[in-house]
Amino acid sequence: DHRFISLCGAFDRGIAALQNRVRMGRELQKPLKILQPLFALCALYWVIQNEDQFRACLDESTRLAEQLGKADILGVVKDLQIMAN
């Protein structure tokens, strides 16, 4: 179905854009600029059921959120972990 192909393409483009933003944050060595797109990637990976990437992003997002003291993100991380199990 054409709609499914379009949706898959949109997810692929969104993931590529967010991965690029994570890469740029790493190059700038700015944890917050890594965390924001990385956390968004968690949701996309969960939706497309890529469990390995979801877990990797969630683990790194958790570490960065703890490092930066982002309680709001840590609260959502716990909810995502519950939903994923």
Side-chain angles (χ1 to χ4, degrees), residues 49-68:
Q49 299 178 349
N50 185 332
E51 188 173 336
D52 292 337
Q53 289 295 328
F54 170 75
R55 297 265 180 219
C57 282
L58 198 61
D59 290 346
E60 187 176 358
S61 293
T62 302
R63 285 191 300 275
L64 287 170
E66 288 171 346
Q67 175 187 340
L68 294 168

Side-chain angles (χ1 to χ4, degrees), residues 5-45:
I5 293 170
S6 295
L7 182 61
C8 288
F11 279 127
D12 289 342
R13 289 187 301 279
I15 288 169
L18 290 168
Q19 286 173 333
N20 189 48
R21 287 183 54 205
V22 170
R23 181 189 55 77
M24 290 185 329
R26 291 186 201 287
E27 288 173 0
L28 294 171
Q29 298 180 358
K30 302 264 184 172
L32 187 58
K33 292 207 179 272
I34 299 168
L35 176 59
Q36 292 168 332
L38 188 66
F39 191 64
L41 276 169
C42 290
L44 285 177
Y45 286 135

Side-chain angles (χ1 to χ4, degrees), residues 66-77:
E66 288 171 346
Q67 175 187 340
L68 294 168
K70 296 292 184 181
D72 53 339
I73 290 179
L74 289 171
V76 175
V77 163

